Amino acid sequence: LRRARLWIPVALAAAAMFAFVMLRGGATPAHAVPPFDVAIENYSQFAAHFEPNIKSNSPADISDAYMGNHLPGFLWNLQPSGYKLVGGRVDHLRDGRPVAFTFYRGDTGTILCTFMEARGFEPPPGPVRVIGNHNYYDYRGYRLCLSYPHGDFICILTTRRTMNQFIQDILASEP
């Protein structure tokens, strides 16, 4: 019985620590896709509050700012799907590489476009759908569209919409 007084609190403390580490994100799972995680982390933040650091919501000005930071000047035209361009921002990844975020908002949801260099990136296996040069993924509760529109860069579109709605949004917005 005296031993139980010792091991029960120790076991409870160990279980609590394990739960805390798991809920806080402990070790990165083997199936993690770092560029997808960057896109999701920023989408979650920007869906609540997007603060552009490019002082214009003009597509031409945003494109120029991206190119001035050695990123593709490509912007999606999501207006046919009912989305309005909110703005853009350029930040830097932990390793110093630039990353561009273009945020769109519509009556039915939001979409974030994340542009970054593809150096060392291998697309994960198992896209839900492949349509043209777009690979669609369900990843950690989000829908993502991965494409390679410009050379050594990847574009990751991120949303919370259903996969079918998301695919329709993208298809309706392509020329």
Side-chain angles (χ1 to χ4, degrees), residues 16-58:
M17 182 60 81
F18 177 76
F20 176 77
V21 168
M22 293 307 290
L23 290 173
R24 289 297 220 178
T28 303
H31 64 278
V33 182
F36 286 7
D37 292 331
V38 167
I40 287 171
E41 178 183 316
N42 285 282
Y43 176 85
S44 296
Q45 176 186 344
F46 296 155
H49 178 72
F50 182 73
E51 182 89 25
N53 63 8
I54 298 170
K55 300 300 180 201
S56 172
N57 64 354
S58 156

